[in-house]
Amino acid sequence: MAEYLLLVYEDEPATSELPAAEEAALVGRFQEFMRRNETSVRRGQRLHPTSTAASVRRDDVDGGVRISDGAFVESKEVVAGYFLIEAENLTEALRLAQEIPVPNGGVEVRPVRSVPDA
């Protein structure tokens, strides 16, 4: 089985403005997704808002490091969470990704590269 990282993107302002009942229902749909796919989902977590993020970048000019508040890019959709799954192939990983209940965004499917033993 191969590992895939399913990156959940959302429109952060739209999701943060959901009424409490809608947010609770959405959390329930995510929990149901994880129960339904418990043999494939190894881990899944929601992330704190981008306002709590920090970014670390290498400076190509002097080789130093620059740390700044916030996420790397400013865009409408940001990484809001992830699932690490095991799947036979990309087709199966995409099938699982389609089940993730993301009302204001989407899911990026990335195969995890295995590191050879040292």
Side-chain angles (χ1 to χ4, degrees):
M1 290 270 232
E3 288 185 323
Y4 293 86
L5 187 63
L6 309 182
L7 295 167
V8 178
Y9 287 83
E10 71 179 16
D11 178 337
E12 196 171 62
T15 303
S16 69
E17 295 171 4
L18 288 176
E22 285 183 41
E23 184 176 355
L26 181 59
V27 168
R29 291 197 305 272
F30 272 96
Q31 290 170 335
E32 175 57 28
F33 165 78
M34 291 181 74
R35 275 191 297 275
R36 210 174 40 248
N37 296 290
E38 66 184 346
T39 59
S40 298
V41 176
R42 297 188 63 183
R43 183 163 174 79
Q45 289 295 130
R46 181 166 176 76
L47 301 176
H48 284 281
T50 55
S51 61
T52 66
S55 298
V56 178
R57 292 195 183 259
R58 298 259 175 234
D59 188 333
D60 291 338
V61 176
D62 66 10
V65 175
R66 186 178 74 231
I67 299 173
S68 58
D69 291 339
F72 275 125
V73 296
E74 291 184 25
S75 67
K76 183 175 180 179
E77 293 180 348
V78 296
V79 177
Y82 70 91
F83 292 98
L84 178 63
I85 65 163
E86 286 186 334
E88 287 291 330
N89 52 42
L90 179 60
T91 301
E92 183 181 345
L94 290 169
R95 182 190 61 74
L96 286 169
Q98 291 175 56
E99 292 183 29
I100 298 174
V102 184
N104 299 304
V107 179
E108 179 180 341
V109 178
R110 303 274 303 267
V112 175
R113 187 182 292 186
S114 61
V115 178
D117 293 334

